[in-house]
């Protein structure tokens, strides 16, 4: 698989889509493992508009070997190198009748084990006993996200809308977007494909209008070393997992 073009797209536009990373059977195996999970834990969010599992790989470890198949490992290593590790995993299930939407934003925080006052790190937030903090800009610039699509996704069931190349502009407040010069793109992604994006890419998603589910696994990766006082709240050297 020649991923040179995809690497260039990520550098220049802030995102890229790669098709056929997972077969239909691999998707079904992942969903079966998720559906077996105990949903009573507080890391599981349940509402009419969204079901989510935070720290997915910790809560449902049976998914690890299924998610990190040979294709996904090869994609990560060819585009980003061999020094990256996983630092966050979330499963999102946006139901058929969901009115849940997310306005334009950048992903400006990382998940850590505790709150420690360190220059350059802050502010902190805490949700469901998990800490998040905004780190120095260079950490966000080096990180990347992979979204595994378990359903076909388009403008009608919450595909991400992004502003091309906004990842290259540092902290970019949504209220300052100049729509006369910025370009919005809908990232339609097929079932079994992945979308790779940079955290600083401005992105949003709309309400569902076509009565179709949108299930996505959101994985964040880093190769950055945190100050010794802090640890990633989730860490996995995925290269050591079987596939």
């Amino acid at each position: 698989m020649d991923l040179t073009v995809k690497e260039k797209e990520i550098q220049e536009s802030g995102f890229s889509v790669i098709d056929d990373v997972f077969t239909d059977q691999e998707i079904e195996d992942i969903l079966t493992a998720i559906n077996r999970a105990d949903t009573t834990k507080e890391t599981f969010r349940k509402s009419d508009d969204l079901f989510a599992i935070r720290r997915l790989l910790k809560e449902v470890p049976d998914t690890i070997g299924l998610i990190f198949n040979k294709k996904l490992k090869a994609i990560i290593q060819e585009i980003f190198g061999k020094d990256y590790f996983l630092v966050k995993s979330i499963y999102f299930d946006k139901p058929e009748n969901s009115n849940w939407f997310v306005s334009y934003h950048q992903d400006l925080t990382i998940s850590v084990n505790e709150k420690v006052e360190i220059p350059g790190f802050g502010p902190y937030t805490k949700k469901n006993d998990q800490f998040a903090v905004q780190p120095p800009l260079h950490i966000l610039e080096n990180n990347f996200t992979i979204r595994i699509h378990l359903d076909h996704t388009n403008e009608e069931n919450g595909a991400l809308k992004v502003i091309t190349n906004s990842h290259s502009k540092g902290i970019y407040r949504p209220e300052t977007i100049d729509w006369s010069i910025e370009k919005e793109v809908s990232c339609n992604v097929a079932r079994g494909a992945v979308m790779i994006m940079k955290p600083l890419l401005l992105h949003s998603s709309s309400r569902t209008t076509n009565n179709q589910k949108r299930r996505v696994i959101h994985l964040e990766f880093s190769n950055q070393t945190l100050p010794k006082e802090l640890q990633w709240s989730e860490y996995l050297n995925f290269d050591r997992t079987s596939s």
Side-chain angles (χ1 to χ4, degrees):
M1 185 187 304
D2 184 2
L3 296 171
T4 305
V5 173
K6 300 298 182 181
E7 181 179 0
K8 185 177 180 182
E9 285 178 356
I10 296 166
Q11 291 173 350
E12 295 181 354
S13 298
F15 70 98
S16 185
V17 175
I18 302 176
D19 292 325
D20 300 320
V21 179
F22 295 88
T23 66
D24 280 341
Q25 186 59 57
E26 287 174 324
I27 295 297
E28 289 302 321
D29 291 344
I30 291 170
L31 289 170
T32 296
I34 291 172
N35 291 335
R36 288 198 301 259
D38 175 6
T39 62
T40 62
K41 299 179 181 179
E42 62 179 18
T43 50
F44 290 60
R45 172 183 170 182
K46 298 175 285 292
S47 72
D48 291 339
D49 287 324
L50 180 69
F51 171 66
I53 306 174
R54 297 187 179 277
R55 294 186 294 197
L56 170 67
L57 301 187
K58 280 189 173 182
E59 300 292 354
V60 193
D62 288 349
T63 59
I64 295 173
L66 301 171
I67 288 170
F68 289 101
N69 65 11
K70 290 181 180 179
K71 281 189 177 180
L72 188 64
K73 287 182 181 180
I75 287 167
I76 295 170
Q77 292 179 1
E78 285 192 40
I79 294 178
F80 298 100
K82 296 186 176 182
D83 59 341
Y84 276 84
F85 43 86
L86 178 128
V87 295
K88 183 186 286 188
S89 61
I90 310 174
Y91 169 70
F92 292 110
D93 179 351
K94 191 174 184 180
E96 296 91 333
N97 58 350
S98 176
N99 284 317
W100 182 61
F101 73 98
V102 181
S103 58
Y104 267 107
H105 67 285
Q106 296 172 302
D107 292 337
L108 295 177
T109 65
I110 58 173
S111 296
V112 293
N113 63 324
E114 60 182 331
K115 181 178 179 179
V116 183
E117 296 302 332
I118 300 173
F121 286 79
Y124 279 85
T125 58
K126 186 179 181 182
K127 184 185 296 182
N128 296 330
D129 203 31
Q130 296 182 73
F131 290 97
V133 64
Q134 184 169 329
L137 190 62
H138 74 270
I139 292 180
L140 297 173
E141 289 174 336
N142 281 281
N143 289 1
F144 68 91
T145 297
I146 292 181
R147 292 168 57 87
I148 301 170
H149 283 251
L150 309 179
D151 297 294
H152 293 295
T153 306
N154 58 30
E155 298 96 331
E156 297 178 342
N157 67 331
L160 285 192
K161 293 181 291 185
V162 305
I163 296 179
T164 302
N165 195 40
S166 53
H167 70 296
S168 68
K169 301 178 182 181
I171 305 300
Y172 193 161
R173 300 300 179 189
E175 61 271 18
T176 68
I177 296 172
D178 184 348
W179 290 109
S180 68
I181 61 172
E182 299 292 15
K183 179 182 179 183
E184 181 182 76
V185 176
S186 177
C187 300
N188 298 358
V189 185
R191 171 183 164 104
V194 303
M195 177 182 174
I196 303 175
M197 59 182 286
K198 301 294 288 181
L200 292 175
L201 183 73
L202 277 164
H203 57 285
S204 68
S205 67
S206 301
R207 295 178 174 88
T208 298
T209 60
N210 65 355
N211 203 37
Q212 298 293 317
K213 292 175 75 70
R214 191 212 71 180
R215 293 168 293 184
V216 173
I217 293 173
H218 172 108
L219 306 174
E220 296 182 14
F221 298 85
S222 184
N223 65 349
Q224 300 295 296
T225 301
L226 297 179
K228 62 180 185 299
E229 300 92 340
L230 273 184
Q231 295 178 10
W232 300 100
S233 67
E234 196 174 349
Y235 173 92
L236 177 71
N237 183 345
F238 60 88
D239 195 38
R240 295 180 181 177
T241 62
S242 59
S243 59

